[in-house]
Amino acid sequence: VMQKGEPGTDCTFGDSANVLRTNIEQIYGGFPSLDGCPLAEGDIADIADGTQFIGLQRYYNEYGSPYKLCFGPKSFLVISDPVQAKHILRDANTMYDKGLLAEILEPIMGKGLIPADPETWSVRRRQIVPAFHKAWLNHMVGLFGYCNVPLIASLDKIAEGDSKVEMEEKFCSVALDIIGKSVFNYEFDSVTKESPVVKAVYRALVEAEHRSMTPAPYWDLPFANQLVPRLRAFNEDLDLLNDVLDDLINRAKSSRQVEDIEELEKRDYANVQDPSLLRFLVDMRGADIDNKQLRDDLMTMLIAGHETTAAVLTWSLFELLRNPECMKKAQEEIDRVIGDRTPTLEDVQEMKYIRLIVAETLRLYPQPPLLIRRCREENKVPKGAGREATVIRGMDMFLALYNIHRDEKFWPEPTKFDPERFTRKYVNPDVPEWEGFDPAKWEGRLYPNELASDFAYLPFGGGARKCIGDEFATLEATVTLAMVLRRYDFEFDKSKSTSVDIMDEPFNLEHPVGMRSGATIHTRKGLHLLIKKREL
Ligand code: HEM
């Protein structure tokens, strides 16, 4: 009898019945791995308390990459290595799909780009990517400034009042307003008011996050949607959102002006009434998309582009408050480059330090901290800095971005918030299969990327399924951060602290900030700060 935790055995695959049995044992249940991967043994509480990515990091330190994790009746292969991630995301990407993630998200995003099966994905990706063209992104920089005006007004009011502000919520609101306006030209106005639609978005997000952490799909059980109150409420929220989206789609279609992609990309956005992605997708010649598909795409972008960016802003501010010398440098740069102006694209190009802050925050707090895949075709993942392993068809996998981003093999002093690390070359001769980090490889671009780090930096994934909103989101975060830091100084609100020192690591669960994850990493109790206007 093999023991848990024991690396693979010499067992050879026999006749087909045996192969089937072996495969079932490999995918389901806590059987020892036949592929050389140790089986992580631990307390389920390690991964079930909303910080599963921290539990996975602890196991990684013990077992290396990949290891196998049993979670109820299911097992997952956990990958924490850039060379292996490059294989899965780029080199062998056709051998993997979104698996469990697609199953979980299907009721919300349908066949939107994130969960889409490879066939639907290849058609939609080709049509959606051009919508994020250069002229549109330039125009969006102005829109980010416009959407920040109500945020600034609301922060001014607080600074003149009791000075207490919960910034995570504020960043969520501004990110929602931005995504609504840019994706479907809808004014959520969530910074200034609470509407039923905004509430429905938030509740749908909470449910999506809850599902992504729930191994048993209870929502598929017969009558569950009618009987379970949270599911009933969720379905009502979805109906409301779908009605809003359907209405926007119908309106866009009724004023459709068909053009070739090349023409659309040359639109003079200064004189366009509706610069939204929806408008572009509807007007594109040849793209006669049905309403359901468009709705799935819009819902996907709404969810994908909202909390992710809000989280980057929250954790950037958190890290700047813990690192006053970085804050000083950031504010000096903002004062020098934009002063009280709303930033332009040229300003963003000029504010290199703010861009590096956004990038470094995404390294320490990748959103989401784990990517999910399922193997479609047996293949071997390379050794990298870990061990070579055979991945069999049907195997569910986690790519632990959090582990890769905080591994000292790839990042010197990995937990240090050091925005300028992206300007320094780093190679590790102990990992010969990994090329290292080379700043020359992101020269000419605004933000460091996976190629400069040979897949050790994957905030937007990599390969064919890489995020399409990467530049949009990083520009948005840079503009918002610059506008807020120009005007205010912040400090932690100690009255919100518990017995534990506020400067503790954020993953200390008693910490007043703390970490908790759903699809993204949130604080546990909000980012409670005291705000005051800067004296300029
Ligand atoms: C995919 C991160 C903002 C739309 C992804 C993936 C990551 C990611 C890691 C890859 C998922 C995987 O491989 O399983 C982020 C982060 C963001 C952000 C950290 C903000 C800081 C946005 C925005 C949009 C967006 C603003 C749209 C407006 C998408 C879509 C995909 C995706 C559609 C699926 C792409 C495909 O499968 O072809 N994102 N994202 N994201 N993201 Fe983002």
Side-chain angles (χ1 to χ4, degrees):
V1 176
M2 290 180 282
Q3 297 299 311
K4 277 190 167 190
E6 199 176 77
T9 70
D10 292 326
C11 178
T12 48
F13 289 15
D15 56 31
S16 54
N18 249 342
V19 170
L20 182 65
R21 207 205 70 223
T22 315
N23 283 4
I24 289 172
E25 286 179 358
Q26 287 292 286
I27 297 167
Y28 294 95
F31 293 90
S33 171
L34 302 181
D35 44 29
C37 298
L39 204 61
E41 257 198 308
D43 195 335
I44 193 83
D46 284 353
I47 51 171
D49 69 343
T51 52
Q52 76 276 55
F53 58 102
I54 310 250
L56 298 194
Q57 189 187 38
R58 218 171 300 137
Y59 294 152
Y60 167 59
N61 293 337
E62 198 174 337
Y63 299 108
S65 179
Y67 65 84
K68 212 159 181 183
L69 175 77
C70 291
F71 192 63
K74 286 283 295 158
S75 60
F76 295 87
L77 210 57
V78 182
I79 305 281
S80 314
D81 181 279
V83 176
Q84 294 168 353
K86 181 164 68 178
H87 169 82
I88 294 162
L89 294 176
R90 191 185 70 185
D91 302 339
N93 92 83
T94 54
M95 297 181 185
Y96 294 91
D97 63 21
K98 297 286 178 97
L100 204 60
L101 185 76
E103 286 163 18
I104 290 167
L105 292 178
E106 201 279 333
I108 303 168
M109 298 186 188
K111 289 184 174 228
L113 218 47
I114 289 186
D117 58 86
E119 294 69 33
T120 310
W121 170 83
S122 71
V123 176
R124 292 307 294 145
R125 173 107 185 174
R126 249 178 290 132
Q127 295 187 343
I128 294 176
V129 165
F132 286 78
H133 55 287
K134 218 171 166 8
W136 183 78
L137 281 170
N138 289 358
H139 183 70
M140 285 300 112
V141 172
L143 183 129
F144 301 151
Y146 163 86
C147 288
N148 263 290
V149 172
L151 174 69
I152 300 295
S154 115
L155 293 179
D156 271 353
K157 229 183 192 167
I158 298 171
E160 286 155 13
D162 73 355
S163 313
K164 285 175 183 290
V165 64
E166 201 284 89
M167 281 306 289
E168 186 171 35
E169 187 198 345
K170 293 283 176 201
F171 284 141
C172 259
S173 299
V174 77
L176 180 61
D177 287 355
I178 288 175
I179 207 81
K181 196 82 188 119
S182 54
V183 175
F184 34 83
N185 201 29
Y186 182 78
E187 306 256 2
F188 280 111
D189 279 339
S190 67
V191 168
T192 45
K193 62 175 194 272
E194 253 208 351
S195 69
V197 178
V198 171
K199 277 193 189 149
V201 172
Y202 281 115
R203 284 199 301 250
L205 274 170
V206 169
E207 181 64 23
E209 295 208 317
H210 178 74
R211 290 182 180 200
S212 67
M213 288 154 55
T214 309
Y218 61 90
W219 51 92
D220 281 346
L221 296 174
F223 305 114
N225 282 299
Q226 289 79 41
L227 296 177
V228 180
R230 69 174 292 155
L231 289 184
R232 265 210 319 267
F234 169 65
N235 288 319
E236 280 164 21
D237 288 338
L238 269 193
D239 286 347
L240 175 62
L241 290 179
N242 284 339
D243 285 349
V244 172
L245 293 180
D246 278 342
D247 185 41
L248 293 167
I249 291 168
N250 286 332
R251 269 197 265 164
K253 280 192 167 175
S254 68
S255 53
R256 187 175 184 207
Q257 287 183 322
V258 179
E259 285 187 86
D260 291 330
I261 287 188
E262 298 74 39
E263 292 306 312
L264 284 171
E265 286 181 352
K266 279 193 247 148
R267 272 186 177 173
D268 172 15
Y269 279 100
N271 295 312
V272 167
Q273 254 205 340
D274 170 4
S276 68
L277 288 181
L278 170 61
R279 183 81 263 161
F280 187 102
L281 294 175
V282 164
D283 288 352
M284 193 189 305
R285 189 180 307 284
D288 298 306
I289 318 150
D290 64 72
N291 280 23
K292 168 82 173 79
Q293 183 62 54
L294 262 178
R295 205 175 71 194
D296 290 347
D297 290 330
L298 298 184
M299 189 73 95
T300 301
M301 289 193 261
L302 172 67
I303 292 179
H306 166 214
E307 290 217 325
T308 43
T309 317
V312 181
L313 288 164
T314 303
W315 292 111
S316 294
L317 185 53
F318 174 76
E319 285 295 342
L320 287 172
L321 289 172
R322 297 209 307 170
N323 295 279
E325 67 298 347
C326 297
M327 177 67 100
K328 187 161 175 278
K329 229 171 149 174
Q331 286 182 323
E332 277 169 7
E333 184 177 83
I334 297 163
D335 293 347
R336 178 174 58 77
V337 178
I338 55 166
D340 290 326
R341 275 189 301 112
T342 304
T344 60
L345 184 64
E346 290 71 40
D347 294 331
V348 173
Q349 278 159 348
E350 198 66 25
M351 289 190 289
K352 183 169 185 187
Y353 193 66
I354 308 295
R355 286 187 275 120
L356 291 175
I357 287 171
V358 169
E360 176 69 340
T361 303
L362 277 164
R363 182 185 68 82
L364 282 171
Y365 305 92
Q367 318 286 348
L370 307 170
L371 301 184
I372 298 178
R373 289 292 186 275
R374 181 174 291 155
C375 178
R376 284 156 65 94
E377 203 181 317
E378 184 167 315
N379 66 100
K380 261 192 173 32
V381 291
K383 185 166 175 290
R387 59 178 72 81
E388 192 181 71
T390 302
V391 187
I392 57 175
R393 186 161 172 258
M395 177 59 83
D396 281 313
M397 346 247 300
F398 288 139
L399 266 78
L401 305 188
Y402 189 85
N403 292 355
I404 301 176
H405 285 191
R406 287 178 178 242
D407 189 332
E408 61 186 3
K409 287 204 277 299
F410 315 114
W411 304 99
E413 295 188 84
T415 55
K416 184 173 170 196
F417 185 73
D418 176 12
E420 276 152 326
R421 68 170 69 243
F422 295 108
T423 62
R424 297 189 288 266
K425 199 173 161 112
Y426 179 70
V427 282
N428 182 348
D430 294 339
V431 191
E433 284 185 61
W434 177 63
E435 283 173 18
F437 185 87
D438 186 355
K441 290 192 185 162
W442 67 278
E443 220 173 76
R445 297 177 171 273
L446 287 175
Y447 299 88
N449 57 13
E450 76 283 8
L451 301 176
S453 62
D454 197 19
F455 281 67
Y457 180 63
L458 296 163
F460 297 103
R465 308 273 323 223
K466 185 177 168 180
C467 180
I468 51 169
D470 56 344
E471 243 186 291
F472 175 96
T474 36
L475 287 170
E476 176 187 348
T478 307
V479 169
T480 303
L481 207 55
M483 288 185 70
V484 170
L485 297 183
R486 162 70 183 171
R487 289 164 178 82
Y488 310 102
D489 284 320
F490 296 90
E491 57 180 289
F492 287 112
D493 181 353
K494 298 247 166 61
S495 72
K496 297 282 180 187
S497 70
T498 62
S499 57
V500 176
D501 184 4
I502 191 127
M503 301 308 274
D504 271 5
E505 279 304 294
F507 44 79
N508 181 328
L509 299 188
E510 296 303 314
H511 188 275
V513 175
M515 288 209 272
R516 158 179 78 80
S517 94
T520 58
I521 308 174
H522 304 271
T523 66
R524 260 184 193 258
K525 300 175 183 171
L527 184 58
H528 291 278
L529 303 177
L530 299 175
I531 183 171
K532 78 167 188 277
K533 283 194 188 174
R534 279 181 74 206
E535 281 160 24
L536 295 162

